[in-house]
Each structure stands twice: as structure tokens, then as C-alpha cells.
PDB file of all heavy atoms in Angstrom:
ATOM      1  N   GLU A1235       0.842  -1.183   0.003  1.00 83.00           N
ATOM      2  CA  GLU A1235      -0.002   0.002   0.003  1.00 83.00           C
ATOM      3  C   GLU A1235       0.885   1.247   0.001  1.00 83.00           C
ATOM      4  O   GLU A1235       1.923   1.299   0.668  1.00 83.00           O
ATOM      5  CB  GLU A1235      -0.901   0.014   1.239  1.00 83.00           C
ATOM      6  CG  GLU A1235      -1.904  -1.129   1.284  1.00 83.00           C
ATOM      7  CD  GLU A1235      -2.967  -1.012   0.201  1.00 83.00           C
ATOM      8  OE1 GLU A1235      -3.268   0.126  -0.223  1.00 83.00           O
ATOM      9  OE2 GLU A1235      -3.488  -2.068  -0.224  1.00 83.00           O
ATOM     10  N   VAL A1236       0.488   2.229  -0.774  1.00 78.00           N
ATOM     11  CA  VAL A1236       1.274   3.463  -0.863  1.00 78.00           C
ATOM     12  C   VAL A1236       0.471   4.623  -0.312  1.00 78.00           C
ATOM     13  O   VAL A1236      -0.770   4.625  -0.345  1.00 78.00           O
ATOM     14  CB  VAL A1236       1.694   3.761  -2.322  1.00 78.00           C
ATOM     15  CG1 VAL A1236       2.600   2.666  -2.850  1.00 78.00           C
ATOM     16  CG2 VAL A1236       0.476   3.916  -3.213  1.00 78.00           C
ATOM     17  N   ASP A1237       1.218   5.604   0.189  1.00 74.00           N
ATOM     18  CA  ASP A1237       0.604   6.831   0.689  1.00 74.00           C
ATOM     19  C   ASP A1237       0.272   7.695  -0.517  1.00 74.00           C
ATOM     20  O   ASP A1237       1.162   8.104  -1.264  1.00 74.00           O
ATOM     21  CB  ASP A1237       1.562   7.544   1.628  1.00 74.00           C
ATOM     22  CG  ASP A1237       0.916   8.754   2.285  1.00 74.00           C
ATOM     23  OD1 ASP A1237      -0.289   9.009   2.023  1.00 74.00           O
ATOM     24  OD2 ASP A1237       1.612   9.445   3.063  1.00 74.00           O
ATOM     25  N   LEU A1238      -1.011   7.955  -0.716  1.00 71.00           N
ATOM     26  CA  LEU A1238      -1.444   8.711  -1.891  1.00 71.00           C
ATOM     27  C   LEU A1238      -1.155  10.205  -1.763  1.00 71.00           C
ATOM     28  O   LEU A1238      -1.353  10.942  -2.705  1.00 71.00           O
ATOM     29  CB  LEU A1238      -2.928   8.483  -2.136  1.00 71.00           C
ATOM     30  CG  LEU A1238      -3.323   7.027  -2.445  1.00 71.00           C
ATOM     31  CD1 LEU A1238      -4.817   6.923  -2.680  1.00 71.00           C
ATOM     32  CD2 LEU A1238      -2.546   6.494  -3.627  1.00 71.00           C
ATOM     33  N   ALA A1239      -0.682  10.626  -0.576  1.00 77.00           N
ATOM     34  CA  ALA A1239      -0.365  12.046  -0.397  1.00 77.00           C
ATOM     35  C   ALA A1239       0.922  12.359  -1.155  1.00 77.00           C
ATOM     36  O   ALA A1239       1.872  11.582  -1.174  1.00 77.00           O
ATOM     37  CB  ALA A1239      -0.205  12.375   1.061  1.00 77.00           C
ATOM     38  N   THR A1240       0.979  13.521  -1.774  1.00 81.00           N
ATOM     39  CA  THR A1240       2.158  13.941  -2.536  1.00 81.00           C
ATOM     40  C   THR A1240       3.292  14.284  -1.584  1.00 81.00           C
ATOM     41  O   THR A1240       3.093  15.018  -0.604  1.00 81.00           O
ATOM     42  CB  THR A1240       1.819  15.168  -3.402  1.00 81.00           C
ATOM     43  OG1 THR A1240       0.736  14.848  -4.269  1.00 81.00           O
ATOM     44  CG2 THR A1240       3.031  15.583  -4.221  1.00 81.00           C
ATOM     45  N   PRO A1241       4.494  13.758  -1.808  1.00 87.00           N
ATOM     46  CA  PRO A1241       5.633  14.099  -0.940  1.00 87.00           C
ATOM     47  C   PRO A1241       5.935  15.600  -0.981  1.00 87.00           C
ATOM     48  O   PRO A1241       5.702  16.276  -1.968  1.00 87.00           O
ATOM     49  CB  PRO A1241       6.795  13.288  -1.539  1.00 87.00           C
ATOM     50  CG  PRO A1241       6.154  12.235  -2.360  1.00 87.00           C
ATOM     51  CD  PRO A1241       4.872  12.816  -2.864  1.00 87.00           C
ATOM     52  N   VAL A1242       6.481  16.093   0.141  1.00 90.00           N
ATOM     53  CA  VAL A1242       6.831  17.507   0.258  1.00 90.00           C
ATOM     54  C   VAL A1242       8.318  17.657   0.003  1.00 90.00           C
ATOM     55  O   VAL A1242       9.140  16.949   0.597  1.00 90.00           O
ATOM     56  CB  VAL A1242       6.462  18.054   1.645  1.00 90.00           C
ATOM     57  CG1 VAL A1242       6.854  19.515   1.780  1.00 90.00           C
ATOM     58  CG2 VAL A1242       4.966  17.861   1.904  1.00 90.00           C
ATOM     59  N   PHE A1243       8.689  18.582  -0.872  1.00 91.00           N
ATOM     60  CA  PHE A1243      10.097  18.735  -1.276  1.00 91.00           C
ATOM     61  C   PHE A1243      10.978  19.078  -0.086  1.00 91.00           C
ATOM     62  O   PHE A1243      12.051  18.478   0.091  1.00 91.00           O
ATOM     63  CB  PHE A1243      10.224  19.819  -2.344  1.00 91.00           C
ATOM     64  CG  PHE A1243      11.658  20.233  -2.572  1.00 91.00           C
ATOM     65  CD1 PHE A1243      12.510  19.419  -3.311  1.00 91.00           C
ATOM     66  CD2 PHE A1243      12.165  21.407  -2.036  1.00 91.00           C
ATOM     67  CE1 PHE A1243      13.837  19.775  -3.512  1.00 91.00           C
ATOM     68  CE2 PHE A1243      13.476  21.775  -2.229  1.00 91.00           C
ATOM     69  CZ  PHE A1243      14.307  20.962  -2.975  1.00 91.00           C
ATOM     70  N   ALA A1244      10.577  20.024   0.737  1.00 92.00           N
ATOM     71  CA  ALA A1244      11.431  20.499   1.826  1.00 92.00           C
ATOM     72  C   ALA A1244      11.797  19.374   2.780  1.00 92.00           C
ATOM     73  O   ALA A1244      12.966  19.202   3.157  1.00 92.00           O
ATOM     74  CB  ALA A1244      10.741  21.646   2.582  1.00 92.00           C
ATOM     75  N   SER A1245      10.812  18.562   3.168  1.00 92.00           N
ATOM     76  CA  SER A1245      11.095  17.476   4.115  1.00 92.00           C
ATOM     77  C   SER A1245      11.969  16.404   3.464  1.00 92.00           C
ATOM     78  O   SER A1245      12.893  15.878   4.096  1.00 92.00           O
ATOM     79  CB  SER A1245       9.791  16.873   4.631  1.00 92.00           C
ATOM     80  OG  SER A1245       9.022  16.357   3.546  1.00 92.00           O
ATOM     81  N   SER A1246      11.690  16.065   2.205  1.00 92.00           N
ATOM     82  CA  SER A1246      12.500  15.055   1.521  1.00 92.00           C
ATOM     83  C   SER A1246      13.934  15.537   1.313  1.00 92.00           C
ATOM     84  O   SER A1246      14.889  14.763   1.479  1.00 92.00           O
ATOM     85  CB  SER A1246      11.891  14.700   0.154  1.00 92.00           C
ATOM     86  OG  SER A1246      10.630  14.081   0.310  1.00 92.00           O
ATOM     87  N   TYR A1247      14.088  16.803   1.002  1.00 92.00           N
ATOM     88  CA  TYR A1247      15.438  17.374   0.785  1.00 92.00           C
ATOM     89  C   TYR A1247      16.235  17.368   2.092  1.00 92.00           C
ATOM     90  O   TYR A1247      17.420  17.012   2.115  1.00 92.00           O
ATOM     91  CB  TYR A1247      15.299  18.781   0.225  1.00 92.00           C
ATOM     92  CG  TYR A1247      16.625  19.459  -0.069  1.00 92.00           C
ATOM     93  CD1 TYR A1247      17.548  18.884  -0.937  1.00 92.00           C
ATOM     94  CD2 TYR A1247      16.948  20.680   0.531  1.00 92.00           C
ATOM     95  CE1 TYR A1247      18.745  19.511  -1.207  1.00 92.00           C
ATOM     96  CE2 TYR A1247      18.144  21.300   0.269  1.00 92.00           C
ATOM     97  CZ  TYR A1247      19.048  20.722  -0.597  1.00 92.00           C
ATOM     98  OH  TYR A1247      20.245  21.333  -0.858  1.00 92.00           O
ATOM     99  N   ASN A1248      15.596  17.763   3.184  1.00 93.00           N
ATOM    100  CA  ASN A1248      16.282  17.749   4.474  1.00 93.00           C
ATOM    101  C   ASN A1248      16.670  16.327   4.900  1.00 93.00           C
ATOM    102  O   ASN A1248      17.749  16.092   5.425  1.00 93.00           O
ATOM    103  CB  ASN A1248      15.396  18.394   5.553  1.00 93.00           C
ATOM    104  CG  ASN A1248      15.269  19.881   5.366  1.00 93.00           C
ATOM    105  OD1 ASN A1248      16.173  20.526   4.831  1.00 93.00           O
ATOM    106  ND2 ASN A1248      14.176  20.466   5.820  1.00 93.00           N
ATOM    107  N   LEU A1249      15.762  15.377   4.654  1.00 92.00           N
ATOM    108  CA  LEU A1249      16.084  13.975   4.958  1.00 92.00           C
ATOM    109  C   LEU A1249      17.296  13.509   4.155  1.00 92.00           C
ATOM    110  O   LEU A1249      18.183  12.825   4.674  1.00 92.00           O
ATOM    111  CB  LEU A1249      14.879  13.075   4.641  1.00 92.00           C
ATOM    112  CG  LEU A1249      13.810  12.935   5.717  1.00 92.00           C
ATOM    113  CD1 LEU A1249      12.658  12.100   5.185  1.00 92.00           C
ATOM    114  CD2 LEU A1249      14.394  12.305   6.983  1.00 92.00           C
ATOM    115  N   ALA A1250      17.331  13.885   2.882  1.00 92.00           N
ATOM    116  CA  ALA A1250      18.429  13.464   2.023  1.00 92.00           C
ATOM    117  C   ALA A1250      19.763  14.018   2.538  1.00 92.00           C
ATOM    118  O   ALA A1250      20.767  13.300   2.579  1.00 92.00           O
ATOM    119  CB  ALA A1250      18.174  13.897   0.585  1.00 92.00           C
ATOM    120  N   LYS A1251      19.774  15.276   2.928  1.00 91.00           N
ATOM    121  CA  LYS A1251      21.031  15.883   3.406  1.00 91.00           C
ATOM    122  C   LYS A1251      21.445  15.315   4.755  1.00 91.00           C
ATOM    123  O   LYS A1251      22.641  15.259   5.087  1.00 91.00           O
ATOM    124  CB  LYS A1251      20.872  17.399   3.499  1.00 91.00           C
ATOM    125  CG  LYS A1251      20.759  18.088   2.146  1.00 91.00           C
ATOM    126  CD  LYS A1251      20.633  19.591   2.284  1.00 91.00           C
ATOM    127  CE  LYS A1251      21.885  20.219   2.854  1.00 91.00           C
ATOM    128  NZ  LYS A1251      21.811  21.683   2.905  1.00 91.00           N
ATOM    129  N   GLN A1252      20.475  14.889   5.550  1.00 92.00           N
ATOM    130  CA  GLN A1252      20.801  14.331   6.860  1.00 92.00           C
ATOM    131  C   GLN A1252      21.205  12.858   6.799  1.00 92.00           C
ATOM    132  O   GLN A1252      22.002  12.404   7.600  1.00 92.00           O
ATOM    133  CB  GLN A1252      19.589  14.480   7.792  1.00 92.00           C
ATOM    134  CG  GLN A1252      19.260  15.920   8.153  1.00 92.00           C
ATOM    135  CD  GLN A1252      17.945  16.031   8.885  1.00 92.00           C
ATOM    136  OE1 GLN A1252      17.342  15.024   9.256  1.00 92.00           O
ATOM    137  NE2 GLN A1252      17.459  17.246   9.073  1.00 92.00           N
ATOM    138  N   ASN A1253      20.644  12.115   5.835  1.00 91.00           N
ATOM    139  CA  ASN A1253      20.775  10.663   5.849  1.00 91.00           C
ATOM    140  C   ASN A1253      21.527  10.087   4.667  1.00 91.00           C
ATOM    141  O   ASN A1253      21.978   8.932   4.771  1.00 91.00           O
ATOM    142  CB  ASN A1253      19.382  10.002   5.901  1.00 91.00           C
ATOM    143  CG  ASN A1253      18.617  10.361   7.144  1.00 91.00           C
ATOM    144  OD1 ASN A1253      19.198  10.532   8.223  1.00 91.00           O
ATOM    145  ND2 ASN A1253      17.312  10.489   7.033  1.00 91.00           N
ATOM    146  N   GLN A1254      21.625  10.796   3.545  1.00 91.00           N
ATOM    147  CA  GLN A1254      22.205  10.147   2.374  1.00 91.00           C
ATOM    148  C   GLN A1254      23.693   9.869   2.606  1.00 91.00           C
ATOM    149  O   GLN A1254      24.484  10.789   2.835  1.00 91.00           O
ATOM    150  CB  GLN A1254      22.028  11.007   1.120  1.00 91.00           C
ATOM    151  CG  GLN A1254      22.331  10.229  -0.130  1.00 91.00           C
ATOM    152  CD  GLN A1254      22.136  11.031  -1.390  1.00 91.00           C
ATOM    153  OE1 GLN A1254      23.112  11.523  -1.942  1.00 91.00           O
ATOM    154  NE2 GLN A1254      20.905  11.163  -1.858  1.00 91.00           N
ATOM    155  N   PRO A1255      24.092   8.612   2.560  1.00 94.00           N
ATOM    156  CA  PRO A1255      25.471   8.265   2.885  1.00 94.00           C
ATOM    157  C   PRO A1255      26.501   8.925   1.977  1.00 94.00           C
ATOM    158  O   PRO A1255      27.584   9.309   2.432  1.00 94.00           O
ATOM    159  CB  PRO A1255      25.500   6.731   2.715  1.00 94.00           C
ATOM    160  CG  PRO A1255      24.081   6.314   2.857  1.00 94.00           C
ATOM    161  CD  PRO A1255      23.269   7.421   2.295  1.00 94.00           C
ATOM    162  N   ASP A1256      26.193   9.052   0.688  1.00 93.00           N
ATOM    163  CA  ASP A1256      27.157   9.644  -0.235  1.00 93.00           C
ATOM    164  C   ASP A1256      27.481  11.082   0.157  1.00 93.00           C
ATOM    165  O   ASP A1256      28.636  11.520   0.098  1.00 93.00           O
ATOM    166  CB  ASP A1256      26.605   9.605  -1.662  1.00 93.00           C
ATOM    167  CG  ASP A1256      26.332   8.182  -2.119  1.00 93.00           C
ATOM    168  OD1 ASP A1256      26.991   7.267  -1.606  1.00 93.00           O
ATOM    169  OD2 ASP A1256      25.441   7.989  -2.966  1.00 93.00           O
ATOM    170  N   TYR A1257      26.471  11.817   0.568  1.00 94.00           N
ATOM    171  CA  TYR A1257      26.665  13.212   0.958  1.00 94.00           C
ATOM    172  C   TYR A1257      27.469  13.308   2.249  1.00 94.00           C
ATOM    173  O   TYR A1257      28.415  14.089   2.361  1.00 94.00           O
ATOM    174  CB  TYR A1257      25.304  13.890   1.119  1.00 94.00           C
ATOM    175  CG  TYR A1257      25.372  15.358   1.492  1.00 94.00           C
ATOM    176  CD1 TYR A1257      25.827  16.303   0.587  1.00 94.00           C
ATOM    177  CD2 TYR A1257      24.955  15.785   2.745  1.00 94.00           C
ATOM    178  CE1 TYR A1257      25.878  17.646   0.925  1.00 94.00           C
ATOM    179  CE2 TYR A1257      24.998  17.106   3.094  1.00 94.00           C
ATOM    180  CZ  TYR A1257      25.463  18.047   2.178  1.00 94.00           C
ATOM    181  OH  TYR A1257      25.524  19.374   2.532  1.00 94.00           O
ATOM    182  N   LEU A1258      27.114  12.476   3.240  1.00 95.00           N
ATOM    183  CA  LEU A1258      27.835  12.496   4.516  1.00 95.00           C
ATOM    184  C   LEU A1258      29.274  12.022   4.324  1.00 95.00           C
ATOM    185  O   LEU A1258      30.208  12.557   4.951  1.00 95.00           O
ATOM    186  CB  LEU A1258      27.104  11.606   5.524  1.00 95.00           C
ATOM    187  CG  LEU A1258      25.664  12.021   5.863  1.00 95.00           C
ATOM    188  CD1 LEU A1258      25.047  11.008   6.794  1.00 95.00           C
ATOM    189  CD2 LEU A1258      25.640  13.410   6.499  1.00 95.00           C
ATOM    190  N   SER A1259      29.485  11.024   3.467  1.00 95.00           N
ATOM    191  CA  SER A1259      30.830  10.519   3.219  1.00 95.00           C
ATOM    192  C   SER A1259      31.707  11.601   2.594  1.00 95.00           C
ATOM    193  O   SER A1259      32.877  11.751   2.938  1.00 95.00           O
ATOM    194  CB  SER A1259      30.765   9.296   2.305  1.00 95.00           C
ATOM    195  OG  SER A1259      32.060   8.811   2.024  1.00 95.00           O
ATOM    196  N   LEU A1260      31.135  12.376   1.687  1.00 95.00           N
ATOM    197  CA  LEU A1260      31.918  13.449   1.070  1.00 95.00           C
ATOM    198  C   LEU A1260      32.231  14.543   2.073  1.00 95.00           C
ATOM    199  O   LEU A1260      33.308  15.185   1.974  1.00 95.00           O
ATOM    200  CB  LEU A1260      31.140  14.016  -0.128  1.00 95.00           C
ATOM    201  CG  LEU A1260      31.954  14.859  -1.112  1.00 95.00           C
ATOM    202  CD1 LEU A1260      33.217  14.159  -1.548  1.00 95.00           C
ATOM    203  CD2 LEU A1260      31.100  15.244  -2.317  1.00 95.00           C
ATOM    204  N   GLN A1261      31.359  14.772   3.036  1.00 96.00           N
ATOM    205  CA  GLN A1261      31.684  15.726   4.101  1.00 96.00           C
ATOM    206  C   GLN A1261      32.906  15.248   4.887  1.00 96.00           C
ATOM    207  O   GLN A1261      33.793  16.041   5.225  1.00 96.00           O
ATOM    208  CB  GLN A1261      30.483  15.887   5.031  1.00 96.00           C
ATOM    209  CG  GLN A1261      29.345  16.701   4.433  1.00 96.00           C
ATOM    210  CD  GLN A1261      28.184  16.860   5.407  1.00 96.00           C
ATOM    211  OE1 GLN A1261      27.913  15.979   6.205  1.00 96.00           O
ATOM    212  NE2 GLN A1261      27.509  17.993   5.351  1.00 96.00           N
ATOM    213  N   PHE A1262      32.959  13.954   5.188  1.00 96.00           N
ATOM    214  CA  PHE A1262      34.127  13.410   5.881  1.00 96.00           C
ATOM    215  C   PHE A1262      35.363  13.480   5.001  1.00 96.00           C
ATOM    216  O   PHE A1262      36.491  13.654   5.507  1.00 96.00           O
ATOM    217  CB  PHE A1262      33.862  11.969   6.325  1.00 96.00           C
ATOM    218  CG  PHE A1262      32.917  11.842   7.470  1.00 96.00           C
ATOM    219  CD1 PHE A1262      31.909  10.899   7.469  1.00 96.00           C
ATOM    220  CD2 PHE A1262      33.020  12.667   8.583  1.00 96.00           C
ATOM    221  CE1 PHE A1262      31.030  10.776   8.524  1.00 96.00           C
ATOM    222  CE2 PHE A1262      32.163  12.559   9.656  1.00 96.00           C
ATOM    223  CZ  PHE A1262      31.169  11.614   9.618  1.00 96.00           C
ATOM    224  N   ALA A1263      35.197  13.325   3.679  1.00 96.00           N
ATOM    225  CA  ALA A1263      36.322  13.442   2.769  1.00 96.00           C
ATOM    226  C   ALA A1263      36.907  14.860   2.813  1.00 96.00           C
ATOM    227  O   ALA A1263      38.125  15.044   2.720  1.00 96.00           O
ATOM    228  CB  ALA A1263      35.899  13.089   1.355  1.00 96.00           C
ATOM    229  N   VAL A1264      36.044  15.861   2.961  1.00 97.00           N
ATOM    230  CA  VAL A1264      36.523  17.241   3.094  1.00 97.00           C
ATOM    231  C   VAL A1264      37.343  17.387   4.378  1.00 97.00           C
ATOM    232  O   VAL A1264      38.393  18.035   4.394  1.00 97.00           O
ATOM    233  CB  VAL A1264      35.334  18.222   3.092  1.00 97.00           C
ATOM    234  CG1 VAL A1264      35.784  19.618   3.472  1.00 97.00           C
ATOM    235  CG2 VAL A1264      34.653  18.241   1.715  1.00 97.00           C
ATOM    236  N   GLU A1265      36.867  16.772   5.468  1.00 96.00           N
ATOM    237  CA  GLU A1265      37.616  16.844   6.724  1.00 96.00           C
ATOM    238  C   GLU A1265      38.957  16.141   6.587  1.00 96.00           C
ATOM    239  O   GLU A1265      39.973  16.604   7.144  1.00 96.00           O
ATOM    240  CB  GLU A1265      36.804  16.205   7.859  1.00 96.00           C
ATOM    241  CG  GLU A1265      35.514  16.947   8.194  1.00 96.00           C
ATOM    242  CD  GLU A1265      35.771  18.403   8.584  1.00 96.00           C
ATOM    243  OE1 GLU A1265      36.715  18.638   9.362  1.00 96.00           O
ATOM    244  OE2 GLU A1265      35.040  19.278   8.100  1.00 96.00           O
ATOM    245  N   GLN A1266      39.008  15.021   5.864  1.00 96.00           N
ATOM    246  CA  GLN A1266      40.283  14.355   5.627  1.00 96.00           C
ATOM    247  C   GLN A1266      41.230  15.254   4.836  1.00 96.00           C
ATOM    248  O   GLN A1266      42.430  15.310   5.127  1.00 96.00           O
ATOM    249  CB  GLN A1266      40.065  13.039   4.875  1.00 96.00           C
ATOM    250  CG  GLN A1266      39.449  11.935   5.728  1.00 96.00           C
ATOM    251  CD  GLN A1266      39.272  10.651   4.950  1.00 96.00           C
ATOM    252  OE1 GLN A1266      38.864  10.673   3.783  1.00 96.00           O
ATOM    253  NE2 GLN A1266      39.561   9.522   5.567  1.00 96.00           N
ATOM    254  N   ALA A1267      40.679  15.937   3.845  1.00 96.00           N
ATOM    255  CA  ALA A1267      41.514  16.831   3.049  1.00 96.00           C
ATOM    256  C   ALA A1267      42.055  17.991   3.883  1.00 96.00           C
ATOM    257  O   ALA A1267      43.183  18.437   3.692  1.00 96.00           O
ATOM    258  CB  ALA A1267      40.724  17.364   1.857  1.00 96.00           C
ATOM    259  N   LYS A1268      41.269  18.463   4.843  1.00 96.00           N
ATOM    260  CA  LYS A1268      41.743  19.526   5.736  1.00 96.00           C
ATOM    261  C   LYS A1268      42.922  19.019   6.580  1.00 96.00           C
ATOM    262  O   LYS A1268      43.884  19.761   6.829  1.00 96.00           O
ATOM    263  CB  LYS A1268      40.612  20.015   6.615  1.00 96.00           C
ATOM    264  CG  LYS A1268      39.556  20.814   5.882  1.00 96.00           C
ATOM    265  CD  LYS A1268      38.441  21.262   6.815  1.00 96.00           C
ATOM    266  CE  LYS A1268      37.378  22.067   6.086  1.00 96.00           C
ATOM    267  NZ  LYS A1268      36.261  22.498   6.984  1.00 96.00           N
ATOM    268  N   LEU A1269      42.816  17.780   7.037  1.00 96.00           N
ATOM    269  CA  LEU A1269      43.942  17.197   7.794  1.00 96.00           C
ATOM    270  C   LEU A1269      45.188  17.082   6.908  1.00 96.00           C
ATOM    271  O   LEU A1269      46.303  17.322   7.374  1.00 96.00           O
ATOM    272  CB  LEU A1269      43.555  15.837   8.342  1.00 96.00           C
ATOM    273  CG  LEU A1269      42.508  15.821   9.454  1.00 96.00           C
ATOM    274  CD1 LEU A1269      42.109  14.386   9.779  1.00 96.00           C
ATOM    275  CD2 LEU A1269      43.048  16.509  10.707  1.00 96.00           C
ATOM    276  N   ASP A1270      44.988  16.702   5.640  1.00 95.00           N
ATOM    277  CA  ASP A1270      46.115  16.591   4.715  1.00 95.00           C
ATOM    278  C   ASP A1270      46.791  17.967   4.532  1.00 95.00           C
ATOM    279  O   ASP A1270      48.018  18.062   4.423  1.00 95.00           O
ATOM    280  CB  ASP A1270      45.651  16.048   3.368  1.00 95.00           C
ATOM    281  CG  ASP A1270      45.183  14.608   3.473  1.00 95.00           C
ATOM    282  OD1 ASP A1270      45.579  13.935   4.447  1.00 95.00           O
ATOM    283  OD2 ASP A1270      44.446  14.153   2.585  1.00 95.00           O
ATOM    284  N   VAL A1271      45.972  19.019   4.461  1.00 95.00           N
ATOM    285  CA  VAL A1271      46.539  20.368   4.323  1.00 95.00           C
ATOM    286  C   VAL A1271      47.360  20.727   5.555  1.00 95.00           C
ATOM    287  O   VAL A1271      48.444  21.287   5.450  1.00 95.00           O
ATOM    288  CB  VAL A1271      45.400  21.399   4.095  1.00 95.00           C
ATOM    289  CG1 VAL A1271      45.933  22.823   4.214  1.00 95.00           C
ATOM    290  CG2 VAL A1271      44.764  21.191   2.721  1.00 95.00           C
TER     291      VAL A1271
END
């Protein structure tokens, strides 16, 4: 069964930035690069 309500962009976008592993991993890659500097 699916929720027939249309998803809200703001909530989905915030979830993606908080949970998407690729985005979080790249943030850690930036921190690694700062250590290299």
C-alpha cells in the first residue's frame, strides 16, 4: 500500500542531506583533506 499524499520537497530534501550516505561521506572526505593540508 502506498501513501497517496504527494511528498513535500522540503522534508525530503532535508532527509536526504541528513541521511544520504554519499553526501555524509563526502563531508568526511573534506575533513580528511583539511587534515592533509
Side-chain angles (χ1 to χ4, degrees):
E1235 295 292 332
V1236 297
D1237 186 1
L1238 299 180
T1240 302
V1242 179
F1243 168 77
S1245 59
S1246 295
Y1247 181 58
N1248 289 333
L1249 275 176
K1251 290 181 66 176
Q1252 293 171 8
N1253 298 326
Q1254 193 179 100
D1256 300 333
Y1257 181 69
L1258 299 176
S1259 178
L1260 196 50
Q1261 287 181 326
F1262 287 136
V1264 170
E1265 295 302 316
Q1266 287 181 319
K1268 289 179 180 179
L1269 290 174
D1270 293 340
V1271 169

